[in-house]
Amino acid sequence: MPKLSVLMPVYNTQEMHLRACIESVLGQTFSDFEFIILNDASTDENIDKIIRSYHDSRIVYIENKVNLGISESRNRLIELSKGEYLAVVDHDDISLPYRFAEEVKWLDSHPETGVVSGIIESWIDDGSKVIMRAPEVDIEIQKKMLMECCCWHPACMMRKSVLQKYDLRYEKIFSPSEDYALFCRLIGKTGFRNIQKPLLYYRNHAGNTSHIKAKEMRNATKVIQDFARRDNPDLWNLVSLDLFKKHRIRLFGILPIIKIEESVDRIVIYLFSKIPLFTIEKGRWRKR
C-alpha cells in the first residue's frame, strides 16, 4: 500500500501546463505514492493522449464517462485512494520537488495535524510573481479561517483518516469554494499547519475558476463563513475581540463628540459616546 495518494482531476488543460504538472509530481524526492489522474470527460481528445504518454507504474489513470464537475471528481478520487495521506494537485500547477517530503514529514511527526500546506508562488499572466503567505500555527489558521481561506488548497496534504472519521467530503453545493467549505468543516476537529517555505508554483491566469466564477465564489464564501462562525462560537468570539476597535472624535481635542466602535461585521457610530446614530453592517447602513 502506498503511503501517499496524489489526487489530480483534469479537464481540458493546456498541454504545456498539464505536462509540467505531471512531471513535477513524478519528479518528487518522496516517491512512495500512487498518482491517481481523473479525466473528467474532457472534450479535448488530446488530454487522453498526453496522460497515456507517461509510463510510470505509480500512475493510475481513470476517466469519468460524463463530466461530474470538480467536487464530485475530487470525492471520487478520495474513494479510489489507498494512501494514508492525500495530496491535492491541480492540473496546471507545479509542485516543487520537496513538497511531498516536507508535508509527509510533518504529518508523520504531528499526529494532531490533519491538514498541512505551505507558501505558494503565484505566477501571473503578465509574467510577474507574487509570494502568497499564510499563518503558520494551528490556532491562528483556524481563527483566520473564519474570515478567509488561509490554507492553500492546491498545495495541501490531508490525513485521510480524519475525513473518514467525520465522514467529510467536498460539498458540491459550495462549488467553486468547496475546498474552503471542507476546511471550515474541519475547524475544531483536527489541526492545521502552514509550512513556511514555498511548496508550489500556482498559475494565476484568466482561465482560473477564481476569475471565471468570481461572483459564485463570493456568494459561496459568505454562506460558508456563516456556518463556520455559527458552528464555532468560542473561536468566533476570539476573532471578534481581536478585531474590535474604538475611535473617538473630540471637539477642540477635549470633548468627545463622536465615538466609533468597529467590530468584524459592523461599525456603530455614537453621538457623545452614548447616543447611537448609525450602524454600518455588511455593506449596508441603517439609522438607530
Side-chain angles (χ1 to χ4, degrees):
M1 298 289 284
K3 177 78 169 182
L4 173 66
S5 293
V6 181
L7 312 181
M8 187 175 79
V10 176
Y11 182 76
N12 289 353
T13 318
Q14 293 183 40
E15 179 171 355
M16 179 179 66
H17 295 172
L18 180 56
R19 288 193 179 277
C21 178
I22 291 174
E23 289 161 18
S24 77
V25 171
L26 298 179
Q28 290 289 304
T29 59
F30 180 89
S31 60
D32 183 14
F33 62 79
E34 60 173 354
F35 185 12
I36 311 178
I37 303 175
L38 173 59
N39 184 349
D40 190 20
S42 295
T43 57
D44 181 353
E45 294 181 359
N46 195 41
I47 298 298
D48 182 73
K49 296 177 183 178
I50 294 168
I51 298 170
R52 293 185 185 278
S53 71
Y54 291 91
H55 304 285
D56 189 299
S57 60
R58 295 170 296 181
I59 293 177
V60 179
Y61 177 45
I62 55 176
E63 300 174 84
N64 287 336
K65 293 181 179 180
V66 296
N67 181 265
L68 298 181
I70 189 61
S71 293
E72 292 184 20
S73 291
R74 291 196 194 280
N75 289 336
R76 188 179 182 202
L77 284 164
I78 292 173
E79 298 305 321
L80 291 166
S81 66
K82 299 176 182 177
E84 179 182 356
Y85 305 145
L86 309 175
V88 172
V89 171
D90 285 350
H91 57 183
D92 56 356
D93 297 330
I94 298 175
S95 295
L96 291 174
Y98 53 81
R99 174 193 161 186
F100 294 170
E102 290 282 343
E103 293 177 328
V104 168
K105 180 181 177 181
W106 182 270
L107 291 176
D108 278 349
S109 58
H110 297 83
E112 75 283 358
T113 300
V115 181
V116 60
S117 188
I119 296 171
I120 66 176
E121 187 174 293
S122 178
W123 294 3
I124 305 174
D125 278 341
D126 62 9
S128 59
K129 300 178 182 179
V130 176
I131 301 297
M132 300 173 68
R133 301 183 181 274
E136 180 177 10
V137 300
D138 179 45
I139 184 60
E140 296 305 321
I141 295 171
Q142 297 209 35
K143 285 165 62 178
K144 193 168 184 180
M145 198 70 75
L146 299 182
M147 302 295 298
E148 60 184 82
C149 190
C150 61
C151 192
W152 305 122
H153 184 257
C156 85
M157 186 178 291
M158 295 180 283
R159 195 180 297 274
K160 185 177 179 180
S161 60
V162 173
L163 300 183
Q164 292 173 324
K165 178 179 179 180
Y166 296 102
D167 193 25
L168 289 173
R169 293 294 185 270
Y170 294 95
E171 297 173 76
K172 183 178 180 180
I173 191 173
F174 295 122
S175 290
S177 296
E178 72 286 341
D179 53 340
Y180 184 28
L182 179 62
F183 289 158
C184 284
R185 297 292 191 197
L186 288 167
I187 292 173
K189 297 180 176 68
T190 190
F192 292 78
R193 186 76 175 191
N194 281 319
I195 297 171
Q196 295 300 290
K197 64 192 304 183
L199 299 181
L200 185 87
Y201 293 149
Y202 171 80
R203 296 188 191 275
N204 187 352
H205 54 83
N208 284 151
T209 301
S210 57
H211 297 302
I212 296 174
K213 297 187 177 182
K215 182 177 179 180
E216 292 93 329
M217 289 189 75
R218 287 194 300 270
N219 292 339
T221 294
K222 173 61 178 61
V223 178
I224 293 164
Q225 289 171 343
D226 283 347
F227 83 65
R229 295 168 185 179
R230 182 190 65 239
D231 293 348
N232 300 278
D234 292 340
L235 189 64
W236 179 233
N237 285 338
L238 285 176
V239 174
S240 299
L241 288 172
D242 287 346
L243 297 178
F244 186 79
K245 299 176 183 177
K246 288 184 179 181
H247 312 275
R248 283 184 171 83
I249 300 174
R250 299 177 182 272
L251 183 63
F252 306 120
I254 301 173
L255 181 64
I257 298 295
I258 299 294
K259 181 177 75 171
I260 303 172
E261 290 185 351
E262 183 178 355
S263 65
V264 66
D265 57 356
R266 68 180 61 188
I267 298 173
V268 183
I269 301 174
Y270 297 87
L271 179 64
F272 301 122
S273 298
K274 295 182 179 180
I275 305 171
L277 295 178
F278 299 99
T279 296
I280 302 171
E281 191 171 14
K282 297 180 181 179
R284 305 184 300 273
W285 70 270
R286 58 186 174 85
K287 192 172 181 179
R288 297 297 296 264

